[in-house]
Amino acid sequence: MSADIETYLFPTPLSDASALPLRVQIRERVLAAIGSGLLKPDDRLPTMRALAVHLRVDLNTVQRAYAELERLGAIRTLRARGSFISDTPPHPDGALKAAEVRALAASTIARSQAAGLDPEAVVIAMRDLLGLPPTPSEPESGSAKG
């Protein structure tokens, strides 16, 4: 991985307007990079200080994001060596996973309402993107109400 990993992980700034806290945005971008294969086991993450400077956020925000990633098992931190992607992907606790799914759903509903969109239309679009058949009460694919 390049020495300028900050730019690859965070090509765009974090959103202050997002319903998600900055530490969660950092955590989610790292998890997405792991999931997409951009980050592989044993890849070194930027130092917390370097990432805080790059993102223009408080160092404590990055520290909390890294701590959450470590708790999830996505990264491991070695004293005086840095933080690295774990060899095995994390296996989230079922209850924790269910809570995160609910939190993400609640955030999506809030964001869609704030944007003046019908949350049900978002659900229909998600089912369409996932290739799931419409429920009997939904219109056919691609014709989500808005």
Side-chain angles (χ1 to χ4, degrees), residues 42-48 62-87:
D42 296 322
D43 279 350
R44 185 172 189 210
L45 289 173
T47 66
M48 293 178 208
V62 177
Q63 287 173 331
R64 285 192 300 264
Y66 275 37
E68 288 179 15
L69 287 164
E70 193 160 15
R71 259 193 316 277
L72 289 171
I75 68 171
R76 66 187 190 293
T77 301
L78 304 174
R79 191 169 200 75
R81 292 198 49 221
S83 297
F84 300 85
I85 303 303
S86 293
D87 295 330

Side-chain angles (χ1 to χ4, degrees), residues 3 19 29 37 48-49 54 62 66-67 69 74 82 89-90 94 105 107 120 132 139:
R29 287 206 195 175
M48 293 178 208
R49 188 170 313 283
H54 175 76
V62 177
Y66 275 37
L69 287 164
S107 172
E120 288 183 46
L132 300 173

Side-chain angles (χ1 to χ4, degrees), residues 31-45:
L31 289 173
I34 293 169
S36 71
L38 177 64
L39 290 175
K40 299 184 181 348
D42 296 322
D43 279 350
R44 185 172 189 210
L45 289 173

Side-chain angles (χ1 to χ4, degrees), residues 3-142:
D4 196 19
I5 189 172
E6 299 93 353
T7 304
Y8 290 112
L9 282 177
F10 300 93
T12 58
L14 299 176
S15 172
D16 288 329
S18 172
L20 295 175
L22 296 175
R23 69 176 165 70
V24 174
Q25 293 179 51
I26 294 168
R27 181 192 72 201
E28 293 305 311
R29 287 206 195 175
V30 172
L31 289 173
I34 293 169
S36 71
L38 177 64
L39 290 175
K40 299 184 181 348
D42 296 322
D43 279 350
R44 185 172 189 210
L45 289 173
T47 66
M48 293 178 208
R49 188 170 313 283
L51 189 57
V53 168
H54 175 76
L55 295 175
R56 297 180 184 163
V57 299
D58 188 76
L59 177 60
N60 290 326
T61 301
V62 177
Q63 287 173 331
R64 285 192 300 264
Y66 275 37
E68 288 179 15
L69 287 164
E70 193 160 15
R71 259 193 316 277
L72 289 171
I75 68 171
R76 66 187 190 293
T77 301
L78 304 174
R79 191 169 200 75
R81 292 198 49 221
S83 297
F84 300 85
I85 303 303
S86 293
D87 295 330
T88 57
H91 297 290
D93 170 323
L96 177 62
K97 188 174 181 179
E100 287 190 26
V101 167
R102 286 193 64 79
L104 180 59
S107 172
T108 302
I109 290 168
R111 290 177 66 189
S112 64
Q113 289 173 330
L117 303 171
D118 179 4
E120 288 183 46
V122 174
V123 171
I124 292 168
M126 291 172 98
R127 290 182 63 82
D128 186 45
L129 290 169
L130 289 168
L132 300 173
T135 62
S137 63
E138 290 177 10
E140 283 303 313
S141 176

